[in-house]
Amino acid sequence: MKLAPFARAALALTLVLAPVACAPVAPPPNPAAQVTAASLKTQTLSLLDVAADPYANHAAEVDALTARIDAAASAAAADPLNTFSARQWAVLRDPSRALYGGAITLWRSQGALSPAFRDQKKIQIGRAFDYILCLEANKRQATACGQIEEGGAS
């Protein structure tokens, strides 16, 4: 069967574009998510500044911030194409890990955190937020964001 030149071109174009049309598309960067993550980073680092005080004095602040972080994590996880960001939010929040969730768990159990511990956690948690911000800013781009887990770059 011989195809006309136009039909051959149309068939070739269809065969080339079909995989692209079916491939998952990264969601576009979300400016609101970027603003939220940046704000949560600032709020979290500020909260760590007062973690030398007894936890009970700041329990309401912790609960409110945790709720905002949980909402941001849920929003990231709601999009199935946002897996890297959702995974990093989960690491950040996990009470058995060494980032926000773990620091809050330790503060709650010990009553207060030492200056050296707080300073180190601020660096680690800041990097974790930076990774989330990088992931959000660089959607649809091949820019690498070094993965941050347990407070170190890998």
Side-chain angles (χ1 to χ4, degrees):
M1 177 171 153
K2 188 168 179 153
L3 295 174
F6 175 76
R8 277 191 299 232
L11 179 60
L13 186 59
T14 300
L15 292 174
V16 168
L17 293 179
V20 173
C22 297
V25 176
N30 180 341
Q34 290 173 296
V35 168
T36 298
S39 175
L40 290 171
K41 176 183 176 182
T42 301
Q43 293 170 44
T44 301
L45 299 181
S46 292
L47 183 65
L48 287 171
D49 284 336
V50 299
D53 296 344
Y55 175 84
N57 293 358
H58 299 280
E61 289 173 71
V62 171
D63 291 344
L65 179 57
T66 299
R68 290 190 295 274
I69 289 173
D70 289 348
S74 293
D79 188 334
L81 299 176
N82 219 7
T83 56
F84 294 119
S85 181
R87 187 178 321 144
Q88 188 61 34
W89 279 108
V91 169
L92 180 78
R93 297 168 51 229
D94 189 340
S96 66
R97 305 284 289 260
L99 295 172
Y100 175 79
I104 296 303
T105 298
L106 192 62
W107 186 16
R108 185 180 298 126
S109 69
Q110 292 188 353
L113 300 176
S114 73
F117 181 84
R118 287 182 291 121
D119 289 345
Q120 190 61 36
K121 285 300 128 186
K122 286 176 69 173
I123 292 167
Q124 294 169 350
I125 292 169
R127 287 180 182 159
F129 272 109
D130 290 345
Y131 181 61
I132 291 168
L133 288 162
C134 181
L135 288 171
E136 187 61 47
N138 291 297
K139 288 181 179 173
R140 294 190 177 175
Q141 295 179 21
T143 304
C145 296
Q147 187 170 1
I148 308 296
E149 290 198 20
E150 299 303 325
S154 58

